[in-house]
Amino acid sequence: MRVYLPATIAMLSELSSSGEFLPVNGTAFAVTPALREFYTSGSTEELEYAALLEAARASLRLIASERDLADEQTPVRTRRVVVSADLDDVTVRSDLDDAVVRLSGSVPMTSVAAVHVDTAEAESAVSVAAEVVDSADLGDQDAELALGDVEDHELAWYAPQEVPFLLELM
């Protein structure tokens, strides 16, 4: 199953150096039966894109969390990151949300199909959205607009072997 793992630049750097990705709480997103049911029409590609966007929104929460834990000497990169991987050991968790799945362990680099990362142009929108993502979930209209602004930015696609070069250029 293709899964979409929310991440940050720091987590992507760890994947690059260690060769494995440890998803936070084992959480990922995928095309689940509940997601298919929610979108009464749409191709598999469109449903995969919906799952990718859910992971991108979760990436905003991870960025916000990194900011909360960071000190002044450690800047937090404000780009959404989604790691796409092909895995067999996936548990659907529709009780949490339509696209949520749980993984039982780490994801080896050999299972990574692609990495999706915001471009530099998106950084200011990502920064704002990371601050208000929880408020948007609670119905704040201004926060929803900020999320809409960040979602106007498409994530760039990178092959797994390009990740070290991407990180070096940042």
Side-chain angles (χ1 to χ4, degrees), residues 11 15 20-21 28 51 93 115 159:
M11 294 168 76
L15 167 64
E20 67 179 12
F21 182 85
R93 290 296 310 267
V115 174

Side-chain angles (χ1 to χ4, degrees), residues 74-146:
T74 310
V76 174
R77 299 300 307 246
T78 52
R79 293 191 194 190
R80 295 171 299 165
V81 177
V82 176
V83 176
S84 300
D86 294 316
L87 302 170
D88 294 324
D89 191 16
V90 175
T91 303
V92 175
R93 290 296 310 267
S94 296
D95 57 313
L96 298 175
D97 203 353
D98 290 339
V100 175
V101 296
R102 290 279 193 225
L103 310 179
S104 61
S106 64
V107 177
M109 182 63 104
T110 56
S111 295
V112 174
V115 174
H116 311 270
V117 181
D118 274 313
T119 61
E121 292 80 24
E123 285 191 21
S124 63
V126 171
S127 183
V128 171
E131 292 292 324
V132 299
V133 66
D134 290 334
S135 296
D137 287 343
L138 296 173
D140 183 311
Q141 293 297 320
D142 290 333
E144 272 296 328
L145 289 173

